[in-house]
Amino acid sequence: MANYPYIVSEETATLLYEGKPYTLQSSHPNFAPFKKALVSEDFETAINYLDIRKQVEAFADGELIVKNGAVYWNSNQLHGKVVDKLLELLESGMKVGSPFIKFVKNLLDNPSNNSVEELYDFLSYKSLPIDDDGYVVGYKGVCSDGWSQSGNTQTIVLQGEVNERGQIMNRVGDTIEVQRRSVDDNRQNQCSHGLHIGSFDYANSWASNGQLLLVRFNPRDAVSVPQDSECQKLRVCKYEVLEEIERDESEITQPYYGVYTNGFGQDENEGNDYDEDYDDEREYEDEE
């Protein structure tokens, strides 16, 4: 492809293409990859970043369409944080769209519209990453021996080891599941029964002297997001324990975590360039 004149700065990036100047501001979701393509003189890629409709449809291999400024999957218009997640992935330079499509499908499989809407609140606190299966990756604080901080003997546990206090064991590789109706779906009830997952900040503070775990959950298993704690926690009916992480580690800041990344969400190309003390006052919370 021919060379084209361009100018880049901290705030803008401009390409002169077919006699017309095209400028992206730093607030544009494509600004960073557009600027990078210009500096690398990869003009074909840079031109593609100017057309976000074309970029979205190519990224999703035709499974997403952009019409009248809105993004659709199978006639379902995507809103709010779902579109933000899409733009984050595009801005990160990710080329494989299947994890996002799986995330959308999983989200729309959730039987409760309220649960879907509340999940947006949880995702909006901080941008939690998704993985190859379209699951959301989050955090959980447990006791030092792996038992949940509290328990509820009335909860019907389908998968997982439970003790006489209703606490659930969390080992790396475990899948923990309870009946969905055992999870409080009323977000007005701040501390209530259900399996809890939180943001890094929330889970790290809850872990106290215990373990901080990296977990993942399917969006279809999200039940409610209590309105306290700035929507930093949510109740689910199922999750998987991925690994224990050091308390002083930083949270995952990339929008994607999986086989296309190296460690905590870092793009493979970036490095080269891209209770024990049981609290009776919490006895109604399964898995805070």
Side-chain angles (χ1 to χ4, degrees), residues 10-210:
E10 292 296 320
E11 298 300 324
T12 64
T14 301
L15 171 67
L16 186 64
Y17 176 59
E18 295 183 344
K20 295 175 59 178
Y22 294 86
T23 299
L24 297 188
Q25 304 290 332
S26 59
S27 58
H28 192 282
N30 283 348
F31 175 75
F34 177 67
K35 178 179 176 181
K36 182 178 179 180
L38 290 180
V39 172
S40 302
E41 298 192 350
D42 182 357
F43 297 110
E44 183 175 2
T45 298
I47 290 167
N48 286 336
Y49 280 124
L50 293 174
D51 187 346
I52 198 163
R53 179 192 62 78
K54 180 179 177 181
Q55 188 186 1
V56 166
E57 293 179 0
F59 174 73
D61 198 23
E63 291 203 56
L64 295 177
I65 63 171
V66 180
K67 183 170 58 178
N68 298 325
V71 182
Y72 292 85
W73 177 80
N74 278 4
S75 300
N76 294 284
Q77 183 177 348
L78 307 183
H79 298 278
K81 284 299 166 182
V82 177
V83 176
D84 290 346
K85 175 61 68 177
L86 170 62
L87 296 177
E88 279 184 301
L89 293 168
L90 291 171
E91 185 175 0
S92 74
M94 184 175 175
K95 305 296 184 184
V96 181
S98 56
F100 177 78
I101 297 301
K102 291 177 182 177
F103 167 75
V104 171
K105 291 178 179 178
N106 290 335
L107 184 68
L108 297 179
D109 276 345
N110 193 303
S112 168
N113 183 63
N114 285 340
S115 297
V116 172
E117 293 299 322
E118 291 176 22
L119 180 57
Y120 295 156
D121 291 339
F122 178 70
L123 295 176
S124 70
Y125 172 74
K126 284 189 177 178
S127 180
L128 295 176
I130 62 174
D131 69 5
D132 295 298
D133 296 319
Y135 285 41
V136 178
V137 178
Y139 305 87
K140 185 171 187 64
V142 298
C143 296
S144 59
D145 55 4
W147 290 104
S148 57
Q149 294 278 4
S150 53
N152 184 346
T153 57
Q154 302 303 309
T155 294
I156 300 173
V157 179
L158 303 179
Q159 293 189 72
E161 180 184 349
V162 189
N163 66 16
E164 68 280 1
R165 290 176 170 174
Q167 294 167 285
I168 300 176
M169 173 57 68
N170 290 264
R171 301 184 183 91
V172 174
D174 282 355
T175 295
I176 310 301
E177 182 179 10
V178 302
Q179 284 194 350
R180 190 178 180 102
R181 68 171 181 267
S182 291
V183 182
D184 190 347
D185 61 359
N186 186 346
R187 71 182 315 184
Q188 304 301 325
N189 296 330
Q190 298 178 3
C191 292
S192 190
H193 47 91
L195 306 177
H196 288 71
I197 294 173
S199 66
F200 178 88
D201 298 333
Y202 185 85
N204 196 26
S205 64
W206 186 264
S208 184
N209 295 320

Side-chain angles (χ1 to χ4, degrees), residues 262 266-274:
N262 202 4
Q266 180 184 27
D267 190 287
E268 288 178 340
N269 296 320
E270 281 184 5
N272 301 322
D273 161 339
Y274 179 69

